[in-house]
């Protein structure tokens, strides 16, 4: 039995409200710290054409059930906090409008391939640790701060920036790792997020840490475990296209591409 | 790399048919590549076992050949032909893509962010490979059932 939003109850009693449409949202609930029980709670919430999945979840939290666990922050697809499975596909709740889902019922679940903290919030330690392991920063012996000449810049041509700028848009939302079929089976796979970031720095001509980085990814559970299913790129909300970065990096490792 | 306990989808993440609908033909190609690879490995082991009967004399060898001279045997061999053609064709596509060719060029992304690596060239190759596999199966069956 779905819990109905008070605004909609008012609507039933002829009170004038701005919204005329509603959506049924099914939220997967679980708390592994307490028990292994998993269930779906249903709520009916009013929507407008601009309402996002996150708006609906926050509406549920405000009016129907304060205990729903969801992680969010910026509400504008910049922080990467509100990743979840929406109607079976990983997506950002703040970047997915209910109207574009074209469904009267929306099912939200925690992302696959991550341990659940509670309800829709997952533990992203593995992704963050793998991200750190690929050394996501420019490695150089020299510094931008020079003792003799003061501060200088490591200049780049726009063409060189274009080689990696796409991959620097990653917001670490983890949707790619959730969609990846290799992540579903391989406990130690480094994952598309970290591999795309490895390429981002390897393609950066200011960076001199290629060999250190390649040592991390050129191993049995590293880049060679990607089989180019392309699911990571399908779900990326920022156009990073991790699958492209991984294949370009593989071409580089094989000595075929620069 | 860091090991993580639990929280992986496992085989469900591979075989769930709804994933194919949501992630497109590339995901289907990926799944078929895995399944045909496993199928061909099983066939290879069976084939070695079957052909080893040649060491036991003509009568035993003829008897083992009879196993595939049935309707079920012909259908099985047609499936093997299909698996072989798909695995080869898709494997060539993947080798080219994994060398960094045919997956587009890195550039500044613009909304609505269409991934370049998931492009029509790749999709056309997958459909063509599926078509070739179906054609090869049809031809194989036409020969075997003639």
């Amino acid at each position: 039995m779905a819990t109905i939003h008070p605004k909609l109850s008012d609507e039933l009693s002829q009170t004038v409200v701005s919204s005329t449409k509603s959506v049924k949202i099914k939220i997967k609930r679980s708390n592994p710290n307490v028990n292994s029980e998993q269930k779906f709670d249903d709520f009916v919430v009013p929507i407008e054409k601009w309402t996002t999945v996150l708006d609906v979840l926050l509406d549920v939290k405000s009016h129907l059930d304060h205990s729903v666990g969801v992680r969010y922050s910026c509400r504008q697809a910049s922080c990467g906090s509100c990743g979840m499975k929406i109607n079976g596909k990983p997506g950002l709740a703040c970047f997915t409008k209910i109207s574009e889902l074209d469904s009267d019922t929306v099912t939200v679940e925690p992302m696959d391939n991550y341990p659940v903290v509670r309800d829709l919030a997952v533990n992203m330690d593995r992704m963050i640790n793998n991200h750190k392991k690929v050394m996501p920063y420019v490695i150089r012996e020299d510094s931008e701060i020079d003792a003799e000449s003061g501060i200088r810049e490591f200049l780049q041509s726009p063409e060189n920036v274009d080689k990696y700028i796409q991959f620097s848009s990653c917001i670490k939302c983890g949707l790619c790792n959730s969609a990846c079929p290799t992540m579903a089976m391989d406990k130690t796979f480094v994952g598309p997020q970290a591999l795309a970031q490895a390429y981002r720095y390897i393609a950066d001509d200011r960076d001199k840490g290629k060999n250190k980085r390649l040592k991390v990814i050129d191993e049995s559970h590293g880049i060679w475990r990607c089989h180019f299913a392309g699911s990571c790129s399908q779900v990326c909300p920022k156009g990073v296209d991790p699958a492209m970065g991984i294949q370009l990096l593989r071409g580089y490792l094989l000595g075929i591409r620069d | 790399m860091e090991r993580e306990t639990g929280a992986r989808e496992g085989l469900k993440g591979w075989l769930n048919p709804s994933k194919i609908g949501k992630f497109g033909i590339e995901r289907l190609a990926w799944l078929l590549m895995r399944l045909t690879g496993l199928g061909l490995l099983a066939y290879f082991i069976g084939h070695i076992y079957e052909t080893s009967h040649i060491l036991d004399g003509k009568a035993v060898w003829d008897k083992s050949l009879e196993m595939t001279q049935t309707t079920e045997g012909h259908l099985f061999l047609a499936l093997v032909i299909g698996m072989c053609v798909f695995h080869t064709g898709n494997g060539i596509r993947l080798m080219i893509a994994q060398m960094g060719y045919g997956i587009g060029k890195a550039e500044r992304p613009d909304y609505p962010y269409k991934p370049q690596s998931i492009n029509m060239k790749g999709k056309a190759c997958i459909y063509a490979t599926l078509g070739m596999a179906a054609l090869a199966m049809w031809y194989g069956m036409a020969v075997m059932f003639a």
Side-chain angles (χ1 to χ4, degrees):
Chain A
M1 178 81 183
T3 311
I4 297 173
H5 193 281
K7 219 179 201 182
L8 290 168
S9 310
D10 290 347
E11 205 168 347
L12 294 174
S13 60
Q14 306 302 303
T15 308
V16 178
V17 288
S18 64
S19 180
T20 53
K21 283 186 179 174
S22 64
V23 69
K24 182 179 180 183
I25 187 155
K26 293 166 75 76
I27 305 174
K28 190 169 186 183
R29 311 293 302 269
S30 65
N31 189 348
N33 292 324
V34 176
N35 57 39
S36 58
E37 189 196 354
Q38 298 184 346
K39 60 172 182 168
F40 281 93
D41 281 348
D42 300 353
F43 305 93
V44 179
V45 178
I47 54 162
E48 304 287 353
K49 67 178 176 185
W50 54 82
T51 305
T52 65
V53 174
L54 184 62
D55 291 334
V56 170
L57 288 169
L58 295 181
D59 212 344
V60 168
K61 273 182 81 70
S62 298
H63 298 106
L64 303 172
D65 186 345
H66 308 314
S67 70
V68 171
V70 56
R71 185 192 287 132
Y72 70 99
S73 182
C74 73
R75 309 187 193 200
Q76 55 181 2
S78 293
C79 71
S81 302
C82 62
M84 60 188 68
K85 225 162 70 171
I86 302 165
N87 281 355
K89 192 173 178 180
L92 290 181
C94 70
F95 201 48
T96 309
K97 282 193 286 189
I98 298 290
S99 55
E100 74 194 33
L101 293 171
D102 201 22
S103 167
D104 293 334
T105 304
V106 175
T107 306
V108 287
E109 297 164 79
M111 285 192 288
D112 291 323
N113 306 329
Y114 292 94
V116 175
V117 177
R118 187 164 67 82
D119 297 343
L120 302 172
V122 294
N123 183 333
M124 302 176 92
D125 284 354
R126 179 185 175 191
M127 185 195 75
I128 299 295
N129 289 340
N130 284 342
H131 177 67
K132 284 180 184 168
K133 276 181 189 151
V134 299
M135 294 169 271
Y137 39 82
V138 172
I139 300 171
R140 284 182 77 109
E141 295 276 307
D142 53 347
S143 162
E144 283 176 305
I145 301 165
D146 189 72
E148 287 173 17
S149 56
I151 295 173
R152 62 194 175 127
E153 288 181 81
F154 299 136
L155 296 175
Q156 279 186 307
S157 67
E159 291 75 34
N160 280 334
V161 175
D162 283 349
K163 285 182 186 168
Y164 69 82
I165 191 75
Q166 171 176 352
F167 306 101
S168 64
S169 302
C170 177
I171 56 172
K172 289 90 188 167
C173 60
L175 299 182
C176 51
N177 283 12
S178 174
C180 174
T182 305
M183 291 295 288
M185 289 294 281
D186 190 337
K187 282 180 195 161
T188 49
F189 179 47
V190 63
Q193 188 278 334
L195 289 171
Q197 290 314 292
Y199 180 73
R200 178 253 174 272
Y201 287 95
I202 286 168
D204 189 331
D205 66 345
R206 295 168 301 174
D207 182 74
K208 305 292 175 202
K210 283 187 181 68
N211 292 340
K212 281 186 188 173
R213 218 169 268 120
L214 290 179
K215 234 178 244 177
V216 179
I217 57 169
D218 184 15
E219 53 116 43
S220 60
H221 293 273
I223 192 164
W224 310 109
R225 286 290 169 112
C226 166
H227 302 295
F228 195 24
S231 306
C232 52
S233 297
Q234 300 260 9
V235 299
C236 179
K238 303 302 281 186
V240 171
D241 200 350
M244 181 207 271
I246 296 168
Q247 309 326 313
L248 290 174
L249 185 52
R250 197 147 31 189
Y252 175 78
L253 268 166
L254 292 169
I256 294 164
R257 294 186 74 96
D258 297 333
Chain B
M1 288 298 143
E2 180 162 315
R3 284 184 91 79
E4 186 182 66
T5 51
R8 279 173 295 111
E9 273 190 294
L11 270 181
K12 207 172 59 169
W14 283 18
L15 302 171
N16 185 348
S18 76
K19 300 258 181 194
I20 294 158
K22 292 186 194 310
F23 293 116
I25 191 76
E26 292 81 8
R27 185 75 171 230
L28 175 68
W30 171 85
L31 180 61
L32 287 178
M33 193 69 181
R34 298 245 116 181
L35 295 179
T36 54
L38 291 170
L40 289 171
L41 177 66
Y43 174 76
F44 175 71
I45 294 165
H47 180 68
I48 297 289
Y49 172 75
E50 188 198 19
T51 51
S52 69
H53 288 316
I54 202 162
L55 301 171
D56 302 326
K58 191 173 185 307
V60 180
W61 171 241
D62 286 344
K63 202 175 173 202
S64 73
L65 282 184
E66 277 169 20
M67 279 196 299
T68 50
Q69 300 306 314
T70 58
T71 304
E72 294 80 14
H74 287 163
L75 288 173
F76 170 72
L77 287 177
L79 190 66
V80 171
I81 292 169
M83 289 196 297
C84 251
V85 173
F86 178 81
H87 203 81
T88 307
N90 195 48
I92 292 168
R93 174 187 77 88
L94 286 174
M95 277 197 286
I96 294 168
Q98 292 181 358
M99 286 189 281
Y101 295 111
I103 51 164
K105 189 172 164 246
E107 59 185 20
R108 288 171 197 270
D110 279 324
Y111 189 79
Y113 308 130
K114 291 250 184 254
Q116 284 196 64
S117 64
I118 311 298
N119 56 34
M120 282 315 293
K121 277 184 279 184
K123 287 182 200 294
C125 285
I126 295 169
Y127 285 119
T129 309
L130 286 169
M132 280 195 300
L135 200 65
M137 285 173 76
W138 174 81
Y139 180 72
M141 282 196 282
V143 170
M144 286 186 284
F145 287 108

